[in-house]
Amino acid sequence: MLALAPMNPAPNLVLVGPMGAGKSSIGRRLAERFGLAFFDVDQCIIDRVGASIPTIFEYAGEAGFREHERLVLADLLAGEKQLISTGGGSVLHPDNRRLIRERGFVVYLKVGVDAQLKRIGNDKNRPLLQRDDRRQALQDLTALRDPLYREVADLLFDTDHYTIAEIMAELCSRLSTQWQCHRTAP
Ligand code: S3P
């Protein structure tokens, strides 16, 4: 684990990182551990639109999906005492990156392409992976997005060789010393 910033007393914990990094499963556990409300941005989009992610991509395109993502993220980040698990492409929009940094202590969960293929290689719910050259697609996404995840991150954790229990133990210990939930409203 690499500490990227000394201290950021933010009102929310935010998980960023690529598909298959474990943002939702780790996010749920961290939320419970730190007494935060858990929100998964993809699930919030599904609830708001009333359609699955593949259906949104099919009818509104990726641009339409990104707009829903931007609105959901802005709504969530206005609140506090939340663990927000973002979708892998949330960092693409500069407004999202600015808000994520302003309103969150940000953990970048990193994962290599081999582990991604093992974890989500056959997933049908991720439109960007519905192609034959999945390895290449994931490599291209990593090249584009890794600098953006790093730009917003307070902490980086490479999940490749660790179990969820090990990741949890390390993150809990780091977060207890580096993050104090800072409330902005009474
Ligand atoms: C996406 C990641 C997905 C979901 C959508 C697009 C991406 O979320 O938002 O399929 O652009 O990487 P997860 O990172 O939770 O899989």
Side-chain angles (χ1 to χ4, degrees):
M1 163 116 39
L2 176 63
L4 295 174
M7 186 55 144
N8 172 13
N12 298 289
L13 260 187
V14 180
L15 300 188
V16 300
M19 295 180 263
K23 299 183 297 284
S24 300
S25 42
I26 292 164
R28 260 197 198 86
R29 289 169 172 82
L30 279 179
E32 199 177 323
R33 164 70 177 70
F34 285 90
L36 305 169
F38 173 75
F39 291 98
D40 179 298
V41 171
D42 282 345
Q43 190 56 51
C44 292
I45 296 170
I46 294 167
D47 294 343
R48 178 185 289 221
V49 179
S52 69
I53 304 274
T55 304
I56 298 172
F57 266 74
E58 189 182 339
Y59 289 98
E62 181 172 351
F65 173 78
R66 296 292 170 214
E67 185 56 11
H68 290 301
E69 186 174 55
R70 191 179 67 78
L71 295 172
V72 164
L73 207 47
D75 275 0
L76 286 175
L77 285 166
E80 54 191 26
K81 288 198 84 181
Q82 309 164 104
L83 183 307
I84 300 170
S85 170
T86 64
S90 298
V91 291
L92 290 172
H93 198 299
D95 287 355
N96 293 349
R97 295 203 297 281
R98 183 182 47 78
L99 263 186
I100 286 171
R101 288 180 64 172
E102 275 175 17
R103 301 287 300 165
F105 184 97
V106 187
V107 178
Y108 171 15
L109 293 180
K110 193 166 159 48
V111 59
V113 171
D114 287 339
Q116 278 182 296
L117 285 170
K118 255 190 229 152
R119 293 177 194 174
I120 55 166
N122 294 320
D123 191 293
K124 298 279 175 274
N125 277 313
R126 289 176 164 98
L128 299 183
L129 285 188
Q130 304 318 303
R131 41 193 281 185
D132 293 335
D133 56 346
R134 289 179 167 203
R135 175 176 290 276
Q136 187 61 50
L138 288 169
Q139 278 167 352
D140 292 348
L141 289 175
T142 300
L144 175 72
R145 296 173 176 182
D146 176 70
L148 304 178
Y149 297 134
R150 287 174 188 270
E151 180 187 317
V152 297
D154 293 293
L155 273 184
L156 183 156
F157 191 97
D158 195 335
T159 64
D160 270 10
H161 305 294
Y162 297 100
T163 63
I164 288 198
E166 288 166 337
I167 297 169
M168 277 299 294
E170 190 60 34
L171 281 179
C172 287
S173 138
R174 287 291 178 138
L175 287 168
S176 323
T177 56
Q178 293 193 27
W179 176 62
Q180 190 179 19
C181 187
H182 175 75
R183 304 199 61 178
T184 50

